[in-house]
Amino acid sequence: MDTILTRPSAAPVIQSLRNIGYNAQTAIADIVDNGIDAGATDIHITFEYNTGDGYIIIQDNGTGMSDEELQIAMTIGSKDPREERKQHELGRFGMGLKTASFSLGKRLSVLTKKDGIISERSWDLDYVSQNNEWALFKKIPLEVKERMGQFESEGTIILIDKLDRFSGYGTPKVIQSSSFYGKVGRIKKYLEMVFHLKLNNNLNIFMNNNFLVPWDPFLSEHPKTIEGETQIIRVNRKRVKITPYVLPHPSAFNETKYKEAAGVKGWRDQQGFYIYREGRLVNFGDWFGMFTKDNFSELVRIKIDFTNDADEDWKIDIKKSSISVPEDAKENLKAIGKYYRQVSKEIMLYRAKPSNKTGKMKGSLHTWELYNDEIDSSYILNRNHPILMEVLKQIDDETRRKLNFYLKLVESGSPINLLQSDSMLKKEEDIQELDDNKKFIISELANSLFSFNDEIEVESIVDSISLMPGFESINRRTIRNFIEKEVLVK
Ligand SMILES: Nc1ncnc2c1ncn2[C@@H]1O[C@H](COP(=O)(O)OP(=O)(O)O)[C@@H](O)[C@H]1O
Ligand SMILES: [Mg+2]
């Protein structure tokens, strides 16, 4: 056969690989997958902000790689997606490490230790573009390597910097530290959701020293959650496990728990199917066009599990964040969905328990409730007030949206809430403005981190505190001042 060997041009290919649609959350999750596949029990993720130039480190204590394995791992398309994967393996396309990293920044450096031998490689897309060659550095630049720290055991340390996509490095749109750490907070929530089954299971993930706490979308521990019967169906001869859940009526929660249970997209949008591949959530809160999302159905969350040998049936994509439901499964899923949506509706309308005449289920009659999570408090409207519930029932979706928006405005304009947020805007040096509870938490945490490692930098303690719920809105300088003046001197 007469052929011409035609190598793809590096610069344009790199550009398209950077645009396959990862966001920061799905990118970090994909890199975490690799650590899990490598058998890690501890994964430490560090986000470091630096004006205009930060970096991200993902360190795992998995098996690590030999020099040859690392060379393959750094190759774009290192494994054939058609290859059969080991049982439970999360990888698929041999692309994730590279494409996920490049969607965050332009430089990817990997340091790995296996059988006592340390190997390293580094991609720098600036160099690739300038030379239009797939030139991989054998050594990691010294200033980068210094940041990567030491191995405590075998494992892998990945550092991504030149974060043009994540923080606007080298562009006119460099983000501020508050939005940098805002993004970090959202990534944390996302990981707590997609890895919730793994986190219960011999895996710890830390983000800027914060321990990730699994978030269970099904509230399976809640006594009022209804767990439907598990059904096993076969799609293309492969087992698919379906377990429906109907969450408790809103009146079963206090406001804090109600907000927690909502999830990243909020109650209404989190309803639907939750699809797990090898115990890792890949798609959530979606009816896949079978039903529309309405308020009465918002208690339904249906768990679906498939295994990596069924990837082709579910058309898993490179980012592992999207799938499509196989035709063979649709009829079953639709029947199950329809039934449990009806259950949800009955519960929402209090029809499920007609014997309850005491009215207890109707929730509180207060119009305002204190939203209190031990750290922070504000007043919010009681959305479960019987009159409001009645009104919401009688209006159409559009009116409901408008009414909800108006209620939000009322909430944020409430004099008590304004008084509270006023105090947040006060002089940042004014550490007296931190309430006792917050001071207590900051000094406890700082003290314990110092006792753990007395060389730890104040700045990294500040990072870790500003990621905690209730602390996001506090000025970082206030926290730093407090640590320097009240904790360090003692
Ligand atoms: N943290 C890690 N520890 C050990 N091996 C890794 C790690 N990250 C990547 N690898 C190796 O590199 C290969 C390529 O990774 P990746 O590009 O994410 O593709 P995939 O996960 O689909 O195989 C993996 O199959 C694995 O062999
Ligand atoms: Mg991978």
Side-chain angles (χ1 to χ4, degrees), residues 30 34 91 96 320:
D30 209 355
N34 288 337
K320 286 180 260 168

Side-chain angles (χ1 to χ4, degrees), residues 30-31 33-34 37 90-92 94-97 320:
D30 209 355
I31 298 171
D33 279 349
N34 288 337
D37 278 346
L90 298 170
R92 168 54 60 189
M95 299 285 274
L97 173 63
K320 286 180 260 168

Side-chain angles (χ1 to χ4, degrees), residues 8-164:
S9 207
V13 172
I14 284 280
Q15 280 317 313
S16 33
L17 284 180
R18 302 195 74 190
N19 289 316
I20 62 172
Y22 278 101
N23 57 39
Q25 301 164 9
T26 51
I28 297 289
D30 209 355
I31 298 171
V32 169
D33 279 349
N34 288 337
I36 297 174
D37 278 346
T41 54
D42 283 317
I43 299 178
H44 283 266
I45 309 172
T46 310
F47 289 85
E48 183 69 33
Y49 178 82
N50 241 323
T51 355
D53 171 30
Y55 56 88
I56 302 170
I57 297 179
I58 298 122
Q59 170 160 21
D60 70 62
N61 67 347
T63 54
M65 289 171 265
S66 66
D67 195 75
E68 198 183 331
E69 285 166 338
L70 175 59
Q71 176 60 34
I72 294 171
M74 291 295 263
T75 308
I76 316 272
S78 50
K79 285 191 183 169
D80 190 327
R82 289 164 302 186
E83 205 177 288
E84 197 174 313
R85 290 287 181 147
K86 272 185 250 137
Q87 212 183 353
H88 306 312
E89 192 171 342
L90 298 170
R92 168 54 60 189
F93 291 93
M95 299 285 274
L97 173 63
K98 290 73 64 176
T99 48
S101 304
F102 295 154
S103 72
L104 298 162
K106 289 194 285 191
R107 185 159 56 185
L108 161 65
S109 307
V110 182
L111 195 61
T112 184
K113 183 174 172 186
K114 185 178 190 177
D115 301 329
I117 297 166
I118 296 179
S119 311
E120 60 183 283
R121 292 286 190 281
S122 179
W123 277 116
D124 187 335
L125 298 189
D126 283 331
Y127 190 87
V128 172
S129 301
Q130 277 154 22
N131 298 282
N132 205 12
E133 274 296 347
W134 297 103
L136 175 65
F137 286 100
K138 288 185 185 164
K139 294 270 177 235
I140 297 170
L142 218 61
E143 76 276 12
V144 176
K145 207 168 164 183
E146 274 168 2
R147 292 172 163 172
M148 297 178 87
Q150 304 290 326
F151 286 102
E152 278 170 22
S153 57
E154 313 258 286
T156 302
I157 305 174
I158 289 163
L159 188 147
I160 304 157
D161 63 354
K162 297 195 172 183
L163 299 177
D164 58 336

Side-chain angles (χ1 to χ4, degrees), residues 21 31 60 69 79 105 136 139 141 176 258 302 318 329 336 354 363 367-368 399 409 411 423 440 457 466 468:
I31 298 171
D60 70 62
E69 285 166 338
K79 285 191 183 169
L136 175 65
K139 294 270 177 235
Q176 306 240 314
Y258 184 71
I302 300 176
I318 291 187
I336 296 170
T367 48
W368 288 94
T399 318
L409 286 179
E411 242 164 32
S423 68
F440 175 74
E457 276 170 333
S466 55
M468 300 188 338

